[in-house]
Amino acid sequence: MSYATLIVETSDAVTLVRLNRPEALNALNGTLMDELTAVLDAAEADESVRAIVITGSDRAFAAGADIKEMAPKSYAEAFTEDFITRNWERVTRCRKPVIAAVAGYALGGGCELAMMCDFIIAADNARFGQPEINLGVIPGAGGTQRLTRFVGKSKAMDMVLTARMMDAAEAERCGLVSRVVPLAELVPAALEAARKIATLSPQAVMIAKELVNAAYETPLSQGVRMERRLFHSLFAFDDQKEGMAAFVEKRPAKFTGR
């Protein structure tokens, strides 16, 4: 399919999604978020796809939500159309892994979209921020909540209340991103990670993702109990037998998703 605001390609069991509104630094408007939702729906439904990478341009992952589109909205309109909730949160419901490959600006909604992904690989020119306070509003797509969980209260307060941007090195130090790579290596590094994931047992990958996400919302004792039960459940799959047999036999495993 062709899209007005995205460039999408799939190979080696990985769907690569490029945000493509260069004239607006990939600002997130309704069309883009609707199209991203459709792409994620299709990737989830396609058994040949095992992982997803979302990226932007060298200059901007996404410079924020589209302010020109947002500015005229009234409270009644935002509430009635379920603004943001309706079409921004599909990535948080993906069972397949989603990697954000961030170069340049990831501000406001762009930072929030990156944080919705399972992990972030950043280029050395990446800049993260929640500057909504400058517009007389606050982050509305999870910025106050996810950023605080990732970087802690003090840094989150600093960024949300002053609109200070965080560079890639600081983002790695405080755990917002998993690693920083040179700009030229960003997409190759993200695709390499996605392709590695794509070679693994899809059930084990989905369960591992579910458990790591649950760790943010459950007490430790409950989380460990959930982990143990789902660990036990994997012994019902052929992939567990294959993975352990391959280890014993010192050969690469051939996972089938069964």
Side-chain angles (χ1 to χ4, degrees), residues 102-183:
V102 175
Y105 296 112
L107 305 178
C111 185
E112 290 167 312
L113 176 60
M115 290 190 293
M116 291 179 194
C117 298
D118 293 308
F119 61 94
I120 302 169
I121 299 176
D124 49 16
N125 74 334
R127 298 292 183 272
F128 300 87
Q130 299 291 165
E132 291 89 345
I133 203 76
N134 288 334
L135 304 177
V137 292
I138 61 170
T144 63
Q145 303 303 299
R146 291 189 179 94
L147 187 65
T148 303
R149 285 166 168 77
F150 290 148
V151 306
K153 177 185 175 182
S154 185
K155 280 188 180 292
M157 282 287 194
D158 184 9
M159 293 175 69
V160 170
L161 296 184
T162 73
R164 180 179 76 85
M165 285 190 284
M166 177 183 289
D167 66 20
E170 184 181 0
E172 184 180 30
R173 285 198 307 271
C174 66
L176 179 60
V177 308
S178 67
R179 51 182 139 143
V180 177
V181 299
L183 175 59

Side-chain angles (χ1 to χ4, degrees), residues 27-250:
L28 307 175
N29 65 1
T31 299
L32 188 152
M33 298 312 293
D34 284 342
E35 291 187 341
L36 182 58
T37 295
V39 169
L40 294 174
D41 284 343
E44 287 264 83
D46 187 344
E47 292 186 0
S48 70
V49 174
R50 298 287 184 85
I52 301 157
V53 174
I54 301 176
T55 193
S57 67
D58 289 353
R59 189 179 177 193
F61 176 75
D66 191 320
I67 304 304
K68 291 181 180 178
E69 181 181 80
M70 192 191 313
K73 290 184 185 294
S74 67
Y75 170 74
E77 289 169 337
F79 179 78
T80 301
E81 72 182 46
D82 208 11
F83 179 51
I84 295 177
T85 309
R86 180 182 65 80
N87 61 352
W88 279 59
E89 296 186 336
R90 179 62 177 88
V91 66
T92 66
R93 301 191 300 275
C94 277
R95 299 184 73 198
K96 296 177 180 179
V98 183
I99 301 169
V102 175
Y105 296 112
L107 305 178
C111 185
E112 290 167 312
L113 176 60
M115 290 190 293
M116 291 179 194
C117 298
D118 293 308
F119 61 94
I120 302 169
I121 299 176
D124 49 16
N125 74 334
R127 298 292 183 272
F128 300 87
Q130 299 291 165
E132 291 89 345
I133 203 76
N134 288 334
L135 304 177
V137 292
I138 61 170
T144 63
Q145 303 303 299
R146 291 189 179 94
L147 187 65
T148 303
R149 285 166 168 77
F150 290 148
V151 306
K153 177 185 175 182
S154 185
K155 280 188 180 292
M157 282 287 194
D158 184 9
M159 293 175 69
V160 170
L161 296 184
T162 73
R164 180 179 76 85
M165 285 190 284
M166 177 183 289
D167 66 20
E170 184 181 0
E172 184 180 30
R173 285 198 307 271
C174 66
L176 179 60
V177 308
S178 67
R179 51 182 139 143
V180 177
V181 299
L183 175 59
E185 299 175 17
L186 175 64
V187 172
L191 289 174
E192 181 183 11
R195 287 169 182 149
K196 166 61 178 175
I197 292 169
T199 67
L200 304 173
S201 167
Q203 288 88 359
V205 167
M206 286 191 289
I207 287 174
K209 168 176 171 164
E210 181 179 345
L211 285 166
V212 173
N213 284 330
Y216 280 97
E217 300 180 8
T218 56
L220 178 60
S221 59
Q222 182 179 341
V224 170
R225 189 178 306 113
M226 181 181 178
E227 175 190 84
R228 196 67 36 75
R229 294 295 175 259
L230 290 175
F231 170 74
H232 292 160
S233 76
L234 286 168
F235 285 77
F237 292 97
D238 293 344
D239 278 351
Q240 174 266 329
K241 303 297 185 288
E242 165 62 13
M244 293 189 177
F247 177 84
V248 171
E249 296 165 12
K250 296 181 171 56

